[in-house]
């Protein structure tokens, strides 16, 4: 395959498939074979280099996930793995894998380990890369196997990010994407602790495109994203990328102040005209409403202050405790 990208010579790109895994001992035995089959297929079709690898990131699992990964890497040279010192969450695990892979590969494809994302979309992603695209987003064309709540919450979230947050995200794209080494190099300069990769990658720029695939149900095991975690990620998505909510509060505050000012004028005129205003119920309602609105506004501002506090400390986003290969600047073999 001839690569048109400015970063690629006329050779087959070296692909690293980056897969975060957290307590996935049930699904890994199924999907690791599928990933390997895909990698071998791509190699034999001459689309990628034989030095391509499947890089598992063990995100501090408490079950046998790391043991499985070590076993795979001993059995087949195409499997390698790193293990984080504790659970840091999907986004950080993915970041660890991407930054690790960046040292060795030409392109990365990140994908979940549960078989929900169609691995056959990788062919098209690599094809797009060869056409000169540096980032290729996998976009879900169908979410039939997701629960109604998941589907509804995910879709409303993308819409909200766009309207409330003013954030540029690709609709229905999660973290299944191809990123070239060139983009990763630039992305490595984004040092924020508050990570929301699908909003940050578009900020790096470079030519990008999308490929569509069908999203299926998990092959085994269960989701690690209950509603509470999904809401936390959703909130991080907004607060890590935009201060628009604070602007909305300022706008709302100004409007209320202006209306109150008109109210005062009206009350003063009423006083001199001798008309008295009766009724405390409406007054209480207004007090409660504005009390609530004030607290909400303070909460949102507090959230940003808290996020700044965490960013200022700039603690490491992950710590790699183990690798299935010796840490070296040269190629990891197994
Ligand atoms: N994951 C992770 N760390 C976590 C939670 C999840 O590395 O703390 C991984 C998980 O193993 C999977 C991917 O992130 O490969 C997506 O998680 P999951 O399938 O549970 O989320 P869902 O698809 O239900 O949103
Ligand atoms: Mg999943």
């Amino acid at each position: 395959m001839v690569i048109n990208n400015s970063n690629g010579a006329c050779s087959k790109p070296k692909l690293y498939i980056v897969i975060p895994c957290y307590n996935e001992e049930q699904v890994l035995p199924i999907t690791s074979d599928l990933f390997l089959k895909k990698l071998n297929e791509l190699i034999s079709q001459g689309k990628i280099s034989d030095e391509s690898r499947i890089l598992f990131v063990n995100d501090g699992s408490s079950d046998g996930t790391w043991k499985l990964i070590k076993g795979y890497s001993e059995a087949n040279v195409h499997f390698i793995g790193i293990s984080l010192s504790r659970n840091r969450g999907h986004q950080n695990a993915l970041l660890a894998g991407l930054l690790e892979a960046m040292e060795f590969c030409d392109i990365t494809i990140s994908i979940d380990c549960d078989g929900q994302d169609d691995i056959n979309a990788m062919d098209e992603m690599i094809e797009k890369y060869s056409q000169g695209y540096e980032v290729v987003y996998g976009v879900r064309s169908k979410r039939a196997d997701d629960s109604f709540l998941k589907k509804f919450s995910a879709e409303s979230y993308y819409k909200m990010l766009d309207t409330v947050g003013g954030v540029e995200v690709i609709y229905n794209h999660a973290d299944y994407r191809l990123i070239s080494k060139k983009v990763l190099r630039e992305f490595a300069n984004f040092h924020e602790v508050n990570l929301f990769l699908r909003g940050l990658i578009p900020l790096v720029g470079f030519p990008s495109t999308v490929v569509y695939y069908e999203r299926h149900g998990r092959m085994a095991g269960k989701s690690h994203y209950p509603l509470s975690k999904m809401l936390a990620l959703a909130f991080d998505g907004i607060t890590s990328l935009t201060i628009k909510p604070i602007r909305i509060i300022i706008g709302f505050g100004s409007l209320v102040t202006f209306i109150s000012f008109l109210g005062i004028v009206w009350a003063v005129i009423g006083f001199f005209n001798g008309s008295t205003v009766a009724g405390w119920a409406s007054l209480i309602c207004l007090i409660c409403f504005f009390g609530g609105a004030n607290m909400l506004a303070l909460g949102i501002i507090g959230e940003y202050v808290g996020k700044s506090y965490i960013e200022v400390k700039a603690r490491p986003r992950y710590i790699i405790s183990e690798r299935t290969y010796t840490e070296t600047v040269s190629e990891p073999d197994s």
Side-chain angles (χ1 to χ4, degrees):
M1 175 187 286
V2 177
I3 298 170
N4 299 324
N5 301 50
S6 49
N7 59 336
C10 290
S11 63
K12 295 174 202 164
K14 207 189 289 176
L15 166 69
Y16 269 45
I17 302 177
V18 179
I19 310 172
C21 311
Y22 176 56
N23 290 348
E24 298 284 11
E25 64 180 6
Q26 286 179 22
V27 81
L28 263 189
I30 308 171
T31 51
S32 58
D33 280 349
L34 299 177
F35 288 128
L36 185 61
K37 213 169 129 225
K38 185 82 232 174
L39 195 83
N40 283 330
E41 192 186 299
L42 290 167
I43 292 171
S44 62
Q45 288 169 350
K47 292 183 176 168
I48 55 171
S49 144
D50 183 40
E51 288 166 21
S52 298
R53 298 281 181 268
I54 295 164
L55 169 61
F56 291 112
V57 183
N58 171 39
D59 185 17
S61 303
S62 53
D63 66 357
T65 300
W66 181 233
K67 208 168 142 217
L68 281 176
I69 294 172
K70 282 202 285 195
Y72 300 148
S73 71
E74 276 159 26
N76 192 301
V77 71
H78 288 118
F79 285 121
I80 54 170
I82 58 175
S83 186
L84 304 190
S85 60
R86 53 157 294 172
N87 180 244
R88 294 292 294 129
H90 174 230
Q91 298 289 293
N92 288 297
L94 194 51
L95 178 80
L98 291 174
L99 295 187
E100 179 80 4
M102 181 181 83
E103 303 297 330
F104 311 110
C105 69
D106 299 311
I107 44 177
T108 57
I109 293 181
S110 52
I111 186 166
D112 292 351
C113 72
D114 54 12
Q116 284 195 269
D117 299 320
D118 181 9
I119 49 174
N120 293 318
M122 288 188 190
D123 298 64
E124 209 185 329
M125 286 184 173
I126 295 165
E127 181 61 34
K128 297 278 185 195
Y129 169 75
S130 72
Q131 291 167 8
Y133 294 103
E134 303 282 348
V135 182
V136 186
Y137 301 99
V139 173
R140 297 158 184 181
S141 57
K142 163 177 167 283
R143 307 181 71 121
D145 290 330
D146 277 349
S147 69
F148 170 77
L149 181 70
K150 181 124 197 166
K151 202 159 116 180
F152 177 74
S153 56
E155 293 191 350
S156 355
Y157 175 57
Y158 286 109
K159 292 203 178 100
M160 186 193 62
L161 263 184
D162 194 24
T163 45
V164 178
V167 173
E168 184 196 341
V169 280
I170 310 288
Y171 186 65
N172 261 342
H173 158 72
D175 283 302
Y176 183 22
R177 71 178 87 77
L178 177 147
I179 312 180
S180 73
K181 183 189 188 117
K182 191 181 197 176
V183 173
L184 279 176
R185 281 249 155 95
E186 298 305 327
F187 179 63
N189 296 322
F190 285 57
H191 297 293
E192 50 228 88
V193 177
N194 184 17
L195 267 190
F196 185 65
L197 292 171
R198 70 193 81 159
L200 288 175
I201 300 292
L203 292 182
V204 185
F206 293 95
S208 67
T209 186
V210 297
V211 302
Y212 293 93
Y213 70 96
E214 288 190 3
R215 166 112 164 152
H216 305 288
R218 255 184 175 262
M219 290 190 176
K222 55 178 193 312
S223 169
H224 303 94
Y225 271 94
L227 191 63
S228 58
K229 260 199 188 179
M230 257 162 49
L231 286 177
L233 180 71
F235 208 61
D236 277 355
I238 294 179
T239 52
S240 78
L241 293 166
T242 173
I243 54 164
K244 208 169 165 190
I246 292 188
R247 299 243 165 90
I248 293 174
I249 290 172
I250 294 172
F252 180 68
S254 315
L255 183 72
V256 170
T257 313
F258 180 67
I259 293 172
S260 313
F261 177 72
L262 292 183
I264 291 168
V265 174
W266 174 70
V268 171
I269 295 171
F271 176 77
F272 285 113
N273 283 347
S275 57
T276 46
V277 183
W280 61 272
S282 51
L283 207 62
I284 293 294
C285 288
L286 279 178
I287 290 172
C288 290
F289 172 73
F290 286 112
N294 264 335
M295 262 186 261
L296 179 70
L298 277 178
I300 293 176
I301 293 167
E303 180 71 23
Y304 280 96
V305 174
K307 287 265 155 74
S308 315
Y309 174 61
I310 291 166
E311 294 292 344
V312 161
K313 282 192 285 192
R315 287 185 179 152
R317 293 174 286 186
Y318 57 85
I319 295 168
I320 298 176
S321 58
E322 239 181 291
R323 290 173 166 85
T324 58
Y325 48 90
T326 349
E327 192 185 356
T328 155
V329 271
S330 65
E331 191 64 20
D333 276 339
S334 69

